[in-house]
Structures are given as structure tokens and as C-alpha cells.
Amino acid sequence: MTDKQNRTRSGSRLITGEFHSGLEDALLAHLKEAVDDAPLRAGTVIVPGNLLGIRLSRELALATNGHANVRFVTLVDLALSVSGTAAKGGVASGSAVRGDGVSKTVVPEGRALLPKRGDELIIRRLLDEGIADNGYFAAIADRPGLATALRDTITNLKEAGYRPDSLSEFAKLARLPGRSKSGKIAELTRIWKAYERELHDGGWIDHADMMSAAVDHLRAEPAIAPSPLALYGFYDLNSLQKRLVAACIARNEATVFFPYLDVDDWTYARPTLDWFLSLGFEPSPLPDKGTHDVPLPAETLIVSAPGEGREVREDVRALAVELDSREAPLQSAAILTRTPSLYSELFAEELKLLASEPYIETPRPLARTRSGMSLVRFIRAVESDFDRTEIIELLSVADFDPDHVAFEGNSTLVGDWAKAAALAGITTGAASWPQRLRSLLSRVEGAPPGSRFGGRHAHMGGAIRSLLSLLEDLLPQLEAVPSRATVERYAGAFSKMLTVWTRDTRERESVLATIEGVKTLSKIAGRITLARFGELVRAALDEPGPRSARFGQGGPTVLNLMSARGLPYPVVVVPGLVEKQFPLGHRQDPILLDHERLKLNAARQNNPLHLLPIKGENIGEEKLLFRLAVSAATELLILSYPRLNPATARPRIPSVFMLRTLEAMTHRPQDYKSFESSPLVTRIPLSRRFPKERAHALTEHEFNGCSILNALEGAGAKEIAYLLREAGPLPRRIEMETTRWTTPGFTRFDGALESKEALAAARELSGFRRDGLA
């Protein structure tokens, strides 16, 4: 530590307090004073996320009647802008997608910023080329997850300031095993070096290198750092982020607004606080207005629901009632979830009932839209060599343009097509489809009067003709797709196919834009197989889709809890409070285990600028995130959890945070037994699942027989069959779209289910979900 760091930094303060107990007010007062003194003087506030920056900018505008030249940026924004300044004479440009569009920057040495998933693709290609053969990772080299794990480990090492050679040196100093020629550390180093060569030869720079380049340039030219500077809302920084912050404030006045209270919940933030203090910041704690217990608002509701679907419905119902009673606008409510991939879509569907357009931070992935499924099925059809099941899945799922494919209003047509393909004996091969279908048509139309075959299948003639006509147009285009090509060629072929064959919708526009994004990987990937292209497309489609509303406008806001840090709302809902969801279970890095990381950290004297993160230690941040979620509610807090697991029909364990909340409400110790019987917990009964005219005395098992169908992909066929048998008689008045629900959701279970009756029950139960009742 330098003498400069040991001295108190002149004019630099470290203001501590909780977000909504004075810290935000202190920041706004600080900025208002700066704006009043010099209205046109540029100032920069670095924030953890874009949404927090949007809120603070709006609040500052209200406090100052408008402001100029005060920018709210993230650390990534800052690094991108500094990297652009750093590249003198550079010609290549990379891009990073931000909340307000695509921001371009020139990076050092004229190298372009690596596209998203480009790093993983490079490592995957190296593994395909045999870099791991006969080495430590040889047995798992063909597993797709290995490239992801290696990418994550290399990123952690680069953020901690390692290079391949220095990793070997410190591994030796830390006496780590696996340093021999065939050991893990040696193999990791070799793959890392090959990855760096690929970056250099291809003219690329990855995200960690871009951040490091910004640090180097700030150290060389400190005058380019933004001044005056404020940091707001950071309670944790990784080693690379610390180096970037240290480079920004090395010779500039800075004020840090650090969320912290000296209580157990904030223990996770203490190392970062100590690091700021070590830089010589003058500590300035705000008056302690917070509470050492769970900071509950005036009203708190705890809801226990049978499953996620019902949980979301009850949360939205309670939300609507409370907002109406308060005459509060819909945007004054927020749903903060630790598992947005599980809850965002469920809340999006339910919130539509409030006749508003909610802001969904993590919208439904395009893979789950009709256009996204169409693209995947086009690829799968070719990849499978026109397998009968895959072709029928394509015809069932694809969002065909009615001007191109006439279904003639017959909802059973796809079922007849599947039956015709089976009767024709089609298995695989594009040529076999028209040949065998024509043969079948001749048999059907030429069957003698009164014959058994003719009597059973005479009605199939129209379906066979329509299928034959459709495939004669479609199959030649699918056949033209090569088995090996560049990403750009594949992207062009399937973009054209999607444009010609499917309906022109907003979803299709988004899918076509996604394909364009995948094309940026063409230079990195080289010539690849169709299967690999399919993996790239599916990974891109699994990303959240486009948002349809603006932040802070319209209906309630559904946010990832990590993005919601520092955002207050009058009414807050926190769903999914069960063990392993919140607190979220974290695993060690499979490549570099926690005990190895601890040894490497010790070998570098636990230098905060070169620490590797310890992956398995997560409970500290989970406790802090729960406190932040609770404290975000200023008037009403709704906590909920699904008490049953739809995949196993077993009870779930409520989160330990539920017990803490009940203890804060009752001021008495609680355990799971007292929690289950507490009158403060609203337990939603199963009998409220259906309207009165469809009421059934459903047991827990029967309920799960219904709800398990909301997650068919993750459930076992035998479990589904068992639960459906338990469900007993079912209403027969639900109509369903055969073309959508007979495939793909159920055909893959046909034969695995133990009876046709069970399959029929499954199909009918799916109608409840289609009708909005399940």
C-alpha cells in the first residue's frame, strides 16, 4: 500500500448508510449542490446498473428543475468510453449492447470487441480440434458444458489479474496439485494460451481485456478520468472493477456513497468497505435510521400457495386489491424475483389481467415464441435427416403463413398427417416422404369397395394430398441446406426460410434480428456443422426477448432482484421464497475449486486487487439481497412461496428468510412447525383452483397432476402417468388446439405414459392452462 493510500484523500469522502435511510438523499443533495454551483460543469456518477441510473437521473431532475452534464454510467460504460480514447489510430470497432442501444467503441491495437458467446465458441472450437486430447480434460472434451466452464474460469483469472504464465508461477508458489505436464493447472494454462492466440490472430479482444485496457490507459493518462466523480450503490466489486475504480480516482477528487450498516446482514459488504478505507477515504457515516432486524414496512403479507402458477395468481390478486384500496398507480408496485427465468413469464401473463403493460426486465425468451420454435424446428428437421417425428413436430409448431399453408380450419389435420406418415412407413430421408405418401395415396384411393383397409382409411385421402402438396414445396428448400457451412450462410438460409414460410409478426422480426446477431460469430466459428449452428441459435433464442414497455411507465415492474438494488417502491412482491431458490444455491467452479482459489489468493497475500472469487460462499450476499428486497418496500410487502414441487409432488421447505420475517413480525423465535400453523401466513387452499362450476375435492397429489403439466419438459413420464391416474374424472368441456397441444408437448410422452386414458387426461388438463384456469 502506498503512502498516498495511507493518507486521508483530500476532498474524498466515503458516505455510508442504507439505500432508503438517507443514502439516496445524500447523493441527490451532493449533486444538487454541484449543479447549483456550476450548472454546466460535467459530472459523472458511476452506478451498478442502468435502471438505478435512470431513477437517480429522474430524481435529480425533479430536485433541480432539470440538470445538464450529470451522467449516470455503469463501470462497463466507463470502460468502453475509456477504451475508445485509448485506441489511437485504431480502425476496428466492437460493440456492447446497453439499455439505450448499441454503444460502439474502438479498442486497443485495432482489435474488435468479441461478440457475445464468442469466447465460449473459440474454446469449443479448440476442443473440437483436439486441444484436450490425451490430457486432463480428455474424458469430457466432447461435453458442451466444458467450454462454458473453461470460459468462466479464464474470465475469473483474467479479472483477478492473472495471465497464463503467472498462473503457473502462483500455482507453484501455492503448491497446487496438477502442475505436471498432464495435470489440471498445466492443461488449463495450455488451453488458455491457445485461446489468447486465437483472440490475437483473429483481431479480437474479450470483455475482461477491454476492462484491463481501460485500467492501463487511465493509469498512463489519469487526466482522462471523469471529474468530479461519484460512486453510488456498490457494496461489492470484483478485482478488475477495483483496479478500474482505483485508476479513476488515483488523482481525482471522488465521493463514494456506500450502502452499509454495521449489522450482520451487511457483513458481505465489509471487505469492499475496508478496501475503500484503505485508499484513504474519509469515513462519513449517516445517522443510523435503519433497523438491526428485518426492516419491514408498515404492512407485511405472507402467502403460501400450492404451486408457482397459483402463487403468482394470488400475488397479482393481492396486488390489485391493495393498489385499488390505496388508489395508487400500477407503476408504484414491483415484483422482485431471485429467479426471473422461473417467474417473469408467469407474472407477465397474470399482470395482463390488470389491463396494463408491465415492465418485464426478463421477458419470455424467443425460444418459447411461435416464431422461435419455428426456427428451431426448421433446423431440427434438416439436422435429423427429415425424421418423421421431427417433420410432424415442425408442421405442428411452426407459425406458418396461412397464405402459404392452408389448414382449412381443420384442427385435426396435423393428427391426420402424423397418422398418414406412420401408415406410409416413413422413418427418415427427404426422398422417402413424397415417394411413400404417393404410394399410400394410391393404396387408399385404389382400395376395393368393402375392403378393411379402405374402410378404415378412406377418409385420409384429403390429408395425404394436402401433406404431399406442402412437402413438395418445403422439402426442396430444406434439402438445399448444406451439412457444413459458415454461420453467415446458415443464417441467410434460415432467415429466408422463416420469411417465406411464417407469418409476419413482431415475434418474427425479433427472431430475424437474433439470427443477424448470430451472424457476427461467423468469422470466429469458421465452417461448422448444422448441429453446431443449431446450438448457437438455441443459445441466442434462450436469451430474454425484447421488452414491450419502458421502465417506470405503464403497469407494475417485474425485476431481477440484482437489478433492483437501490430502487424503492410503495408496494413490493417477493415470490419464490423456498430453499435453493432464495437463498439461491451456488456451486463451486468445476475447473478451479474453492480450496484451490483460496491457496492462490494466499500466494498473492490476499491482495484485494488480485482476489479470485470463492464461488461456494453465497449465503452472505443472499442475506444482504433479502434485506435489500424487504427494505425496498415503503408501504406494503408481500412475500410468497410455492409449498409443493410440481415435478415430485413433495412439499417444499420455506426459505429461512420466511422464518426471519415471521420472527420480526411476532418478536418471537420461529421454526417450521410454528410457521406452518401461524395465523399470519395466508395458506391458499387447493379447492380455490377451479371456478365453482368446476370445483373438485382435489388432493395434493391431484393438484400436482395438473400443475406438473406446466413443466412437462422437466418431469418424468412415469410420474406424470401416476399423478394423472390419481386425478380421477375430469371435466370434458375444454376445447384445445390439437395442432399445438398434441405436439410437441405430449407426443414425446406417447408410449411412455402407461395408458391412452392417461394421455387423453394429460391433453385435457393442458386445456385448463390454455383456458387460463390452471
Side-chain angles (χ1 to χ4, degrees):
M1 193 176 300
T2 65
D3 291 338
K4 178 181 176 64
Q5 289 174 329
N6 280 319
R7 296 196 307 269
T8 300
R9 294 171 52 88
S10 175
S12 292
R13 293 187 300 157
L14 180 69
I15 301 173
T16 59
E18 289 205 281
F19 278 116
H20 312 306
S21 297
L23 194 65
E24 182 178 292
D25 292 339
L27 171 70
L28 294 175
H30 171 81
L31 295 175
K32 186 176 185 301
E33 181 181 357
V35 171
D36 291 342
D37 290 345
L40 298 181
R41 185 185 178 189
T44 299
V45 183
I46 303 177
V47 292
N50 287 319
L51 298 184
L52 181 58
I54 292 172
R55 170 183 164 74
L56 293 174
S57 181
R58 290 172 179 172
E59 291 298 312
L60 181 60
L62 292 174
T64 60
N65 294 319
H67 61 84
N69 285 346
V70 177
R71 298 186 307 131
F72 294 86
V73 301
T74 66
L75 284 172
V76 173
D77 296 332
L78 178 65
L80 286 169
S81 63
V82 171
S83 297
T85 307
K88 297 178 180 178
V91 294
S93 65
S95 63
V97 179
R98 293 164 42 186
D100 55 353
V102 176
S103 174
K104 299 220 171 186
T105 180
V106 180
V107 295
E109 302 176 16
R111 293 160 69 183
L113 189 62
L114 198 65
K116 190 172 185 179
R117 292 181 296 276
D119 45 9
E120 183 179 345
L121 182 58
I122 290 174
I123 297 173
R124 184 75 182 273
R125 178 160 53 82
L126 290 170
L127 293 171
D128 289 343
E129 292 171 356
I131 192 172
D133 290 355
N134 303 317
Y136 183 85
F137 300 112
I140 56 172
D142 60 339
R143 306 287 178 86
L146 178 59
T148 305
L150 287 168
R151 184 273 313 273
D152 292 343
T153 303
I154 290 172
T155 299
N156 285 166
L157 288 165
K158 295 176 83 165
E159 288 174 344
Y162 286 89
R163 302 302 296 174
D165 292 335
S166 65
L167 173 61
S168 300
E169 294 172 7
F170 283 105
K172 183 177 180 180
L173 188 61
R175 297 182 179 179
L176 290 185
R179 302 189 309 276
S180 63
K181 189 174 182 180
S182 61
K184 179 174 68 173
I185 299 298
E187 186 78 349
L188 173 60
T189 302
R190 190 163 64 87
I191 294 173
W192 187 1
K193 287 180 177 179
Y195 168 71
E196 294 295 336
R197 285 195 299 271
E198 290 290 328
L199 287 180
H200 183 273
D201 295 344
W204 301 107
I205 186 171
D206 64 16
H207 183 272
D209 286 338
M210 181 273 295
M211 297 280 285
S212 296
V215 172
D216 293 340
H217 191 59
L218 283 167
R219 287 172 176 171
E221 299 184 38
I224 68 170
S227 179
L229 179 68
L231 282 85
Y232 177 82
F234 290 94
Y235 61 74
D236 185 28
L237 294 166
N238 66 36
S239 295
L240 181 51
Q241 291 170 335
K242 287 177 182 176
R243 296 199 297 276
L244 180 60
V245 169
C248 282
I249 64 179
R251 300 182 189 177
N252 293 309
E253 176 185 319
T255 305
V256 176
F257 296 84
F258 192 89
Y260 181 78
L261 194 65
D262 192 14
V263 298
D264 180 64
D265 287 345
W266 282 96
T267 301
Y268 180 81
R270 186 72 208 191
T272 305
L273 175 66
D274 290 340
W275 177 73
F276 275 113
L277 293 174
S278 75
L279 297 181
F281 279 85
E282 178 184 352
S284 180
L286 296 171
D288 185 356
K289 299 179 183 179
T291 173
H292 289 217
D293 206 340
V294 179
L296 298 177
E299 291 184 69
T300 300
L301 304 178
I302 298 178
V303 178
S304 166
E308 283 89 350
R310 187 56 187 273
E311 175 194 13
V312 169
R313 178 165 300 168
E314 292 299 326
D315 285 344
V316 172
R317 180 182 296 172
L319 200 64
V321 170
E322 295 295 338
L323 290 176
D324 184 63
S325 66
R326 288 171 165 75
E327 298 183 353
L330 294 175
Q331 59 265 33
S332 65
I335 294 96
L336 311 182
T337 171
R338 192 70 177 99
T339 50
S341 60
L342 177 62
Y343 279 98
S344 291
E345 186 174 352
L346 292 172
F347 273 105
E349 292 177 359
E350 288 296 329
L351 288 171
K352 290 177 182 177
L353 301 177
L354 299 183
S356 68
E357 187 69 40
Y359 176 84
I360 309 295
E361 185 195 11
T362 309
R364 179 175 60 162
L366 290 172
R368 299 182 62 177
T369 65
R370 290 290 299 277
S371 292
M373 289 188 289
S374 301
L375 174 58
V376 171
R377 288 299 168 186
F378 276 127
I379 296 172
R380 290 281 296 272
V382 181
E383 185 185 339
S384 67
D385 189 25
F386 307 95
D387 177 81
R388 183 179 75 204
T389 301
E390 294 295 344
I391 291 293
I392 296 301
E393 294 279 7
L394 167 63
L395 300 177
S396 304
V397 172
D399 192 17
F400 284 114
D401 186 338
D403 293 336
H404 222 83
V405 180
F407 283 93
E408 302 172 359
N410 187 352
S411 62
T412 63
L413 185 58
V414 175
D416 287 341
W417 286 349
K419 183 178 179 181
L423 282 173
I426 299 169
T427 54
T428 58
S432 67
W433 280 87
Q435 176 185 346
R436 289 180 177 270
L437 286 174
R438 290 191 188 97
S439 175
L440 176 63
L441 184 61
S442 297
R443 289 181 61 199
V444 169
E445 294 181 341
S451 70
R452 185 177 179 183
F453 182 85
R456 293 180 62 183
H457 305 300
H459 67 285
M460 296 288 294
I464 297 171
R465 277 197 171 84
S466 63
L467 178 58
L468 189 57
S469 175
L470 171 59
L471 293 181
E472 284 176 340
D473 289 337
L474 178 60
L475 289 181
Q477 296 184 37
L478 292 173
E479 279 188 286
V481 176
S483 60
R484 196 174 190 88
T486 63
V487 171
E488 188 170 8
R489 181 173 178 186
Y490 279 135
F494 285 103
S495 292
K496 181 178 179 181
M497 205 171 298
L498 211 62
T499 303
V500 170
W501 285 93
T502 63
R503 292 187 303 122
D504 185 7
T505 62
R506 289 181 60 185
E507 288 180 355
R508 192 183 75 174
E509 290 179 10
S510 299
V511 171
L512 290 172
T514 299
I515 299 175
E516 285 297 309
V518 173
K519 284 172 65 174
T520 62
L521 298 171
S522 189
K523 182 181 176 183
I524 300 170
R527 287 175 59 83
I528 60 174
T529 63
L530 179 59
R532 180 59 50 79
F533 176 74
E535 291 176 8
L536 294 176
V537 166
R538 286 189 287 273
L541 292 176
D542 282 337
E543 296 289 329
R547 302 186 184 102
S548 57
R550 296 185 63 186
F551 174 67
Q553 300 181 7
T557 302
V558 182
L559 297 176
N560 181 345
L561 184 50
M562 296 293 285
S563 302
R565 293 171 295 180
L567 299 176
Y569 290 92
V571 180
V572 168
V573 177
V574 184
L577 278 158
V578 292
E579 289 299 315
K580 297 184 180 181
Q581 284 188 15
F582 195 9
L584 193 65
H586 285 216
R587 297 179 180 178
Q588 296 189 56
D589 176 43
I591 304 297
L592 204 56
L593 301 177
D594 281 351
H595 75 273
E596 296 169 326
R597 290 168 176 250
L598 288 169
K599 289 180 179 180
L600 285 169
N601 289 343
R604 302 189 79 164
Q605 288 79 47
N606 290 308
N607 186 333
L609 300 183
H610 297 286
L611 284 178
L612 284 166
I614 308 305
K615 297 289 189 175
E617 297 179 1
N618 72 305
I619 189 61
E621 185 171 18
E622 294 298 305
K623 289 168 65 176
L624 178 51
L625 286 172
F626 179 70
R627 184 183 183 96
L628 294 177
V630 169
S631 63
T634 59
E635 297 178 14
L636 171 66
L637 174 67
I638 302 174
L639 304 177
S640 64
Y641 78 100
R643 63 178 179 266
L644 295 172
N645 187 329
T648 62
R650 293 179 179 176
R652 281 172 162 160
I653 300 175
S655 169
V656 66
F657 298 144
M658 283 293 203
L659 299 184
R660 285 194 59 198
T661 303
L662 195 59
E663 288 174 351
M665 295 172 70
T666 61
H667 306 290
R668 292 196 304 270
Q670 300 287 336
D671 56 24
Y672 288 113
K673 183 176 181 180
S674 61
F675 178 85
E676 289 295 329
S677 59
S678 173
L680 296 176
V681 178
T682 302
R683 187 179 177 89
I684 305 302
L686 295 171
S687 59
R688 286 171 59 182
R689 182 170 179 76
F690 300 111
K692 289 182 180 180
E693 64 271 16
R694 292 178 181 169
H696 298 272
L698 293 175
T699 66
E700 299 279 338
H701 285 294
E702 291 164 353
F703 167 80
N704 280 278
C706 301
S707 64
I708 213 170
L709 295 167
N710 291 334
L712 263 180
E713 298 289 345
K718 290 185 178 179
E719 291 173 337
I720 297 171
Y722 167 76
L723 293 169
L724 291 173
R725 286 200 309 273
E726 293 291 312
L730 298 165
R732 298 290 175 183
R733 290 180 290 170
I734 303 296
E735 293 184 1
M736 54 178 284
E737 298 179 22
T738 305
T739 58
R740 181 162 183 172
W741 287 109
T742 56
T743 57
F746 293 103
T747 55
R748 67 190 62 185
F749 293 99
D750 200 355
L753 291 171
E754 296 183 12
S755 68
K756 291 183 179 179
E757 290 75 19
L759 179 59
R763 289 172 174 164
E764 186 154 6
L765 279 171
S766 71
F768 281 98
R769 187 171 68 170
R770 295 286 299 144
D771 200 33
L773 300 177

